[in-house]
Amino acid sequence: MTTATRPVVAVDRAGLREALEPIRAHGRSVALVPTMGALHAAHVALVRRAHELADAVVVSIFVNPLQFGPAEDFARYPRDLDADLAVCARESVDVVLAPSVEAMYPVGEPLVRVHAGPVGDVLEGEARPGHFDGVLTVVAKLFGMVGPDVAVFGAKDAQQIALVRAMVRDLDIPVRVDALPTVRDADGLALSSRNRFLDDGGRAAALALPRALQAGTVAAADGAPTAAVVAATRTVLADEPGVAVDYVALVDPESFQPLASQAGGFDAGTGVDRDALLVVAARVGGTRLIDNAPVTMRPPVRVRGSAT
Ligand code: PAF
């Protein structure tokens, strides 16, 4: 008896077509896990989720130059294909798509790109101009190449997921987008390929991010208004000298607009709960980290006749 060797590794469109052909021929559904490699436990969680959602799992490994600015860490972004393939083999991934930049963009930089629109211009998009256009362009290409039934993303990149969902809706791309809650180390740090750039001191400092989100979440649960939730989050970050804050915001999970700027003001005493996302970005040494926590905001019910 021969044992099938998994995963099949495809490095271009032809290889991918060949790898997918038997899967499609048997009418098996496909889940795509798009990654930039340097796979860690959070990617493993995505792959396991993908196995739950579809018959076959495709993992793409591609460090996409389009989503890095000129001063960003494209060159030093961690790459270790052999280690990634070992992870994929352990996790019974069916197909790995690992194209070179030339295979992915055969005519050079694409002339036509997906534009992320206004949600792509705030927070991460403001800090990293063009980032989300690059992300959506490569994700649209991956959807076109693989044709998955479902694609699985991690919730740590919340703005990315909101934009991928918006792209799928607005461009009628027939794929379901699934988001897996952020996977954290035992100490609370959200898993990220960039964590490997942190030395011991940097890692200790980075723990201020989950601590800050926790403080903000507790403030929200206590019924604090938006400004107080943001302030509670900022206070924890300000106490950690190793952390340089880029932004802290309490936003609508779809529009990524600050809750405080919503029409009528969120704290206006409507008494209606609403879901929000507390988002942070900060630099620890040369490493930029992002994290977020979902919160339910509970504005006070304004009692008729009471002082405001
Ligand atoms: O989240 C990532 O790793 C990347 O942004 C993605 C979705 C693989 C696109 O390059």
Side-chain angles (χ1 to χ4, degrees), residues 134-147:
V135 169
L136 293 186
T137 301
V138 81
V139 170
K141 281 170 75 71
L142 290 167
F143 286 172
M145 291 162 75
V146 176

Side-chain angles (χ1 to χ4, degrees), residues 142-222:
L142 290 167
F143 286 172
M145 291 162 75
V146 176
D149 300 276
V150 59
V152 189
F153 294 83
K156 183 176 74 65
D157 298 303
Q159 200 172 351
Q160 168 171 284
I161 293 178
L163 281 163
V164 170
R165 285 193 202 282
M167 175 178 77
V168 162
R169 180 197 63 210
D170 293 349
L171 302 185
D172 287 304
I173 301 176
V175 60
R176 175 179 152 208
V177 176
D178 188 76
L180 200 73
T182 302
V183 180
R184 297 179 182 279
D185 267 328
D187 57 11
L189 190 65
L191 295 193
S192 161
S193 301
R194 290 186 171 98
N195 290 354
R196 66 186 68 191
F197 295 138
L198 300 170
D199 58 19
D200 288 351
R203 195 180 162 94
L207 291 178
L209 272 75
R211 268 204 318 276
L213 289 173
Q214 176 64 16
T217 308
V218 168
D222 287 348

Side-chain angles (χ1 to χ4, degrees), residues 33-37 43 60 62-64 67 77 131 134-136 138-139 142 153-154 157 160 164:
V33 180
T35 81
M36 297 205 299
H43 295 111
S60 63
F62 179 62
V63 185
N64 172 36
Q67 68 189 74
Y77 196 86
H131 170 67
V135 169
L136 293 186
V138 81
V139 170
L142 290 167
F153 294 83
D157 298 303
Q160 168 171 284
V164 170

Side-chain angles (χ1 to χ4, degrees), residues 8 42 56 103 107 109 114 118 120 143 147 173 193 232 239 243-244 271 286 292:
V8 176
V107 294
E109 290 225 345
V114 180
F143 286 172
I173 301 176
S193 301
D239 279 350
V243 167
N292 68 77

